[in-house]
Amino acid sequence: MRYSDNRIIKTGDLVCLKGKQLGVVGCVIDNDDYTDEFPKSDYAYLERGIMLTLSNGNVLYLEEYIEDLMLISRGKEEDIPRYDPDDSW
């Protein structure tokens, strides 16, 4: 699975969904890229897509890439800044 600019989506990527919600990629099933939090044994049955841990603590499964998913930075889950929609970028 790739971003719209053709970069490969990787675990640990910090992403922004729909310009509002930050998250971290927990696994990329298409690329056989898993983490301890999202192990292959639990998620490979899905066959495709990605799992995201959002900054609000929710987990989201995206079966297909959507253009509203933007890479912010490559990194680790601990580095998630909390997003405040009232902050100006």
Side-chain angles (χ1 to χ4, degrees), residues 32-49:
D32 202 33
D33 187 7
Y34 298 89
T35 60
D36 291 342
E37 184 181 1
F38 295 95
K40 183 174 184 173
S41 60
D42 290 350
Y43 295 95
Y45 77 93
L46 294 169
E47 297 182 3
R48 60 187 291 185

Side-chain angles (χ1 to χ4, degrees), residues 14-58:
L14 177 64
V15 296
C16 185
L17 181 62
K18 297 188 179 198
K20 298 178 182 179
Q21 183 70 53
L22 291 180
V24 173
V25 177
C27 72
V28 185
I29 301 156
D30 303 53
N31 302 345
D32 202 33
D33 187 7
Y34 298 89
T35 60
D36 291 342
E37 184 181 1
F38 295 95
K40 183 174 184 173
S41 60
D42 290 350
Y43 295 95
Y45 77 93
L46 294 169
E47 297 182 3
R48 60 187 291 185
I50 62 174
M51 297 297 294
L52 299 174
T53 300
L54 302 176
S55 57
N56 64 8
N58 292 333

Side-chain angles (χ1 to χ4, degrees), residues 3-4 8 11 15 55 87:
Y3 296 103
S4 60
I8 295 172
T11 57
V15 296
S55 57
D87 284 349

Side-chain angles (χ1 to χ4, degrees), residues 10-14 24-25 71-79:
K10 297 181 179 182
T11 57
D13 285 357
L14 177 64
V24 173
V25 177
L71 175 65
I72 302 298
S73 66
R74 303 278 188 192
K76 297 181 181 180
E77 188 170 320
E78 309 80 69
D79 299 331

Side-chain angles (χ1 to χ4, degrees), residues 5 41 44 47 51 58 60 67 70 77 80 84 86:
D5 64 3
S41 60
E47 297 182 3
M51 297 297 294
N58 292 333
L60 177 66
E67 287 193 26
M70 297 178 53
E77 188 170 320
I80 300 177
D84 181 349
D86 295 328

